């Protein structure tokens, strides 16, 4: 199957949307989260810092995903872009695998509930798929070695 440039666009859009959510959450608004539980969680300074760092990673991920398919990407060090894309893909895949392992455990002990997954677990699965395919596509198209 041939993956066109749309896969890079979709990965960039995924990162952009997630960056917006992390920025909004760090600012103290909690759409698509349980507001009371999140307010308590974000009272811990390291969790706010984590959110800001993830937002920054997502902002960086947008041009990283787009560089292999955009004309301006020819002027960016390809090894750097490919390395960042690989690291981002690996982090998303590891996060998704951990989620699936946890779900498997909860199923095995009879404590799994679909409601506990929420919308964010499938969101991470989607990001892992999009970034992995986009990174793989950039490698196959020769972007990483040029």
């Amino acid at each position: 199957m041939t993956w066109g440039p749309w896969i890079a666009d979709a990965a960039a859009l995924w990162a952009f949307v997630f960056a917006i959510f992390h920025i909004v959450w760090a600012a103290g608004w909690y759409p698509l989260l349980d507001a009371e539980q999140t307010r308590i969680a974000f009272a811990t300074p390291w969790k706010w810092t984590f959110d800001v760092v993830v937002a920054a990673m997502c902002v960086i991920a947008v041009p990283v995903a787009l560089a292999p398919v955009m004309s301006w990407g020819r002027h960016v060090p390809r090894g750097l872009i490919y390395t960042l894309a690989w690291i981002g893909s690996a982090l998303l895949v590891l996060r998704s695998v951990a989620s699936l392992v946890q779900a498997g455990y909860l199923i095995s002990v009879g404590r799994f509930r679909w409601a506990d997954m929420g919308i964010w677990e499938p969101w991470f699965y989607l990001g892992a798929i999009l970034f992995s395919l986009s990174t793989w596509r950039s490698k196959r198209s020769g972007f990483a070695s040029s």
Side-chain angles (χ1 to χ4, degrees), residues 38-58:
T38 306
R39 200 171 279 104
I40 293 166
F42 277 71
T44 308
W46 76 265
K47 290 183 181 178
W48 180 86
T49 302
F50 171 82
D51 215 33
V52 171
V53 169
V54 171
M57 290 170 58
C58 290

Side-chain angles (χ1 to χ4, degrees), residues 4-86:
W6 69 267
I7 198 74
D9 296 338
L13 179 62
W14 181 93
F16 178 77
V17 169
F18 212 35
I20 296 298
F21 272 105
H22 277 283
I23 291 166
V24 167
W25 293 333
W29 302 305
Y30 308 114
L32 301 179
L33 296 174
D34 179 284
E36 190 55 36
Q37 285 181 350
T38 306
R39 200 171 279 104
I40 293 166
F42 277 71
T44 308
W46 76 265
K47 290 183 181 178
W48 180 86
T49 302
F50 171 82
D51 215 33
V52 171
V53 169
V54 171
M57 290 170 58
C58 290
V59 167
I60 291 167
V62 172
V64 166
L66 292 175
V69 298
M70 302 296 284
S71 60
W72 56 261
R74 291 188 296 254
H75 306 291
V76 180
R78 292 176 181 212
L80 173 64
I81 294 296
Y82 184 69
T83 299
L84 290 174
W86 187 91

Side-chain angles (χ1 to χ4, degrees), residues 2 10-11 20 27 31 34-35 37 46 66 87 90 96 102 118 128 136 139:
T2 302
I20 296 298
D34 179 284
Q37 285 181 350
W46 76 265
L66 292 175
I87 290 169
S96 297
Q102 181 182 24
W136 180 73
K139 177 68 171 177

Side-chain angles (χ1 to χ4, degrees), residues 108-128:
S108 72
V109 297
R111 294 186 6 217
F112 178 81
R113 294 179 335 152
W114 282 107
D116 291 339
M117 277 196 108
I119 64 168
W120 297 114
E121 296 311 309
W123 180 257
F124 275 104
Y125 305 157
L126 177 63

